[in-house]
Amino acid sequence: MITGATSGIGLGCARKFAENGDKLILTGRNEQKLEAIRKELTGKGTKVHTLLFDVRDREQATRCINGLPEEWREIDVLVNNAGLALGLEPEYEGSFDDWETMIDTNIKGLLTMTRLIVPGMVARDRGHVINIGSVAGDAAYANGNVYCATKSAVKTLSDGLRLDVANSAVRVTNLKPGLVETNFSNTRFHGDTERAANVYKGIKPLTGEDIADVAVYAANAPAHVQIAEVLILATHQGSGSVIVRK
Ligand code: NDP
Ligand code: 8X3
């Protein structure tokens, strides 16, 4: 199951797990985009089930998960990917609405999915949660404040979950990408495409597929190997805030 499979890293994961021969439950909140990826992958022979819901809507999410048909109920891998940044402003000037959306999506949405899916994994003594954290969760960068805090929370929640499932064979991975060229910056800058394009100028950024490669590797590591955390930076990127552009 991949949340937010309609774009960027989630879409990359959908394609790479499909290439790996897996059956996919893809979730998203945009019906058209979800249908497009379903068509693309079923056309290549992958079995795909789609679920249309917003991860912030706990009732809708619960209904969708509880209503899964029998053959789709045993989820082996949950990629908690749906997430976003909104704004890049000093903490004392940020938008209350943007903060709320980031917290509701990146923290509470991820928790909702974890709470709904992991009990089945523990009961079956099999499963893997791959949370998409960020380099932004390792250290704050200027004006990143609330977004960085949500990704820091993803790290803490990943570490907490790993401890709590340690008596089972369930594995937990926190994948922390650096600069990945997706729709991320368009969203962050509320549709200012020029400002978004500048984020990736002068450096070869990562792609959704680059991150997906690591997710597929982690999910297919031998059962006794738990890839707990991976930081994936673009070459020429030193940290969340140090990027050498040429
Ligand atoms: P994209 O904007 O390309 O993709 C985000 C995906 O999440 C989209 O499918 C989007 O749906 C979905 N989504 C957002 N909010 C919700 C919601 N409330 N309910 C359901 N789906 C939702 O960005 P990325 O692929 O870059 O982002 C994916 C994850 O990777 C995020 O968690 C992000 O924080 C993280 N990340 C990104 C990095 C980057 O540099 N790009 C680096 C590190 C981490 P829709 O298409 O409908 O908007
Ligand atoms: C996304 C990458 O560095 O813009 O998490 O925060 S960054």
Side-chain angles (χ1 to χ4, degrees), residues 172-230:
V172 180
T173 300
N174 180 22
L175 276 195
K176 305 183 299 183
L179 197 70
V180 191
E181 188 164 17
T182 63
N183 205 40
F184 178 85
S185 294
N186 276 325
T187 301
R188 166 170 256 175
F189 299 129
H190 298 282
D192 182 341
T193 49
E194 205 180 309
R195 193 169 174 204
N198 279 335
V199 173
Y200 311 106
K201 275 220 174 109
I203 183 166
K204 187 171 170 135
L206 299 160
T207 65
E209 279 74 12
D210 294 328
I211 309 308
D213 278 336
V214 182
V216 171
Y217 175 82
N220 290 282
H224 67 287
V225 178
Q226 177 170 219
I227 310 289
E229 195 168 290
V230 186

Side-chain angles (χ1 to χ4, degrees), residues 82-176:
L84 78 178
L86 288 171
L88 189 68
E89 286 121 20
E91 194 167 315
Y92 55 88
E93 289 178 352
S95 145
F96 288 121
D97 285 348
D98 285 353
W99 292 354
E100 213 141 78
T101 305
M102 288 189 278
I103 291 167
D104 286 351
T105 311
N106 301 358
I107 303 179
K108 291 162 73 180
L110 175 138
L111 268 175
T112 296
M113 297 310 296
T114 302
R115 180 67 185 84
L116 291 173
I117 305 298
V118 175
M121 291 182 173
V122 171
R124 291 186 293 278
D125 199 25
R126 189 179 79 235
H128 195 152
V129 178
I130 300 178
N131 287 332
I132 305 298
S134 172
V135 64
D138 283 356
Y141 52 78
N143 301 324
N145 45 74
V146 174
Y147 176 69
C148 295
T150 65
K151 291 300 177 177
S152 188
V154 171
K155 175 180 164 48
T156 304
L157 293 171
S158 304
D159 291 346
L161 181 64
R162 197 176 303 110
L163 289 166
D164 296 343
V165 296
N167 60 346
S168 77
V170 176
R171 303 184 289 187
V172 180
T173 300
N174 180 22
L175 276 195
K176 305 183 299 183

